[in-house]
Amino acid sequence: MKAIKFFFALAAATAALCANAQTKVFDIDLKKVGAPIQPTMYGIFFEDINYAADGGLYAELVKNRSFEFPYALQGWKAFGKVEICDDGPFDRCPHYARLKDPGHRDKQTGLDNEGFFGIGVEAGKSYDFSVWARVPDGGEGAIRVELVNTASNGENQFFTQDRVRISGKEWKKYTATLRPGVTDPKAVLRIFLDAPRATVDLEHVSLVPGDALEGIYRKDLAQALADLHPGIFRFPGGCIVEGTDLDTRYNWKNSVGPVENRPINENRWEYTFPHRFFPDYFQSYGLGFYEFFLLSEIIGSEPLPILSCGLACQFQNDDISAHVPVDELGPYIQDAIDLIEFANGGTDTKWGALRASMGHPEPFNLKYLGIGNEQWDSIYPERLAPFVEALRKTHPEIKIVGSSGPNSEGDQFDYLWPEMRRLGADLVDEHFYRPETWFLSQGARYDSYDRKGPKVFAGEYACHGTGRKYNHFHASLLEAAFMTGLERNADIVHMATYAPLFAHVEGWQWRPDLIWFDNLRSMRTASWHVQHLYGEYRGENVLRLTSAGVPVTGAEGQDGLFASAVKDGNLIYVKVANTSETAQPLCFNFTGLKKKDPGVKGVKRVVFTSDRLYEDNTLDEPDAIVPSEQAFTGSGKALEAVVPALSFNVFVFEKE
Ligand code: AHR
């Protein structure tokens, strides 16, 4: 009876504060501060798919720079007398090109490199050319390096050139700087032999924009990551971790040390989708584990490498013989232990010394390690178990991330979660590429998760619209709605990363993606803006937000509204997704305040909406669909606002 009286008293007070009867009341409890929101909560997932690494974030502009592709001249056009030799100075990348005298003063010997869908260069910028070279017979030689505009109708095809003198029998690194006076998204790098009767050998031909971050990362793409303030950085995949077969799994040890000596690997996304076939898609490993760790550090994320658990991609291999037998996992487990040493070990250790030799004597402070990507069936836990056992013994400080398979629910999911709990995984990586209906139905997904045991890592997710499996605003809105459930459950959800991260407009295999680019431009999608808003307004602790006593999860009767609230010092961020086609008046009713407390004041609101529901930003119009900051004033214990139809909103309040 007492409780009922109290409820009516509360309802009356609320009604008094929230005057309009049509208004939905969101009660936000300021008295009880909820679970902390992990710094790792919102992050990024990098996989070399859609030319995300070579041709994308990795700033190298030359394709097949070491002549190591299976067809040594893939990506190159040779003219005159060019031979490929295989006794070069780098044992794991032994091939190089030999340029010989063409035999007549009017003839030419040399090579054109096509880059990745062309070589993008901008007028006024500098480009650092380098090559390992020698004159095999000794003496003097030279090459002429040009950037060529193949589409040009002008007198000169080339728009910048430099001559590089090569001398002596020893392999040496030579450099030049090219400064194009024209912008061309699809230039060609042309190298002429430029010394009569000389033979010159060339190896590891490189061209990198002078403004590349650390000389490694394409500037605009790295900036788009940094601007997300990602708390966690999962790499290097995805399916490429596993390999189409074990030989082509991502082998991190091949991705470290001098770039000249990193053997290439095939990229499974070359052929996974026959309708999006890219026969020259390989991994140079130029963007390797060192570069991933370094980037994590630069953008302030915790690194989360994922390693093969000894299972080749299960989508591509039904036969158990494709995988490593459990009793032969030793080298794979050793790879994991060595990786921890590479990241964290002292400079007096083997792998720590390698890290130091690459320029980073300080440890990278690795804390998390994933074993396996999208695995399923008992063959996964059977293999994860010995990893867990060995890692607990050698590195109890490292948190282990296991997998719940490729599906968001179902038999395998239901089998794997208890298995992860049994094995003592610290986090479980869930993946969901699902349609609109799924996202709309999952607002309360984590409300009922078992609080004991592993935490959740929503490691790959994106709304794949039915019939609209491409980037558009509506998909991003549903992602925003779903993410209120991640936030509300921050006690159990510790990490979340949208996927995939990057796509080249001419080289994609998978859509939607977070950031699109061509050779010179990039575009942040509507989904990027949603991720950005969550990162920007992450907050420190969850606050309880309810309407009529229950969380706002898009449930029946809640008119397509999803909401969550967090506290950040004196600030309060309330996120509201209105997935309905009607604008809705809301009243934010702050409870748990003392009578004398003045309440809160409105600071601002950010509104993300668009009438171009099934469109997204484009390279030509990169800011067509962006959030807008608006004034939001008023103060007291209850503040009203209208959320537009089909909009995501962040309200910022300050406790007075
Ligand atoms: O993100 C693309 C792919 O989707 C990943 O490689 C894989 O983990 C998932 O199936």
Side-chain angles (χ1 to χ4, degrees), residues 45 47 49 238-239 269 373-374 431 433 460 500 510:
F45 160 57
E47 174 164 24
I49 184 172
C239 293
W269 300 110
N373 175 44
E374 287 182 346
H431 292 181
Y433 296 108
E460 291 185 34
W510 181 290

Side-chain angles (χ1 to χ4, degrees), residues 18-26 584-588 639-641:
C18 299
N20 184 347
Q22 305 307 310
T23 300
K24 274 213 174 55
V25 180
F26 284 1
Q584 302 201 48
L586 301 178
C587 176
F588 301 105
L639 276 74
E640 300 198 4

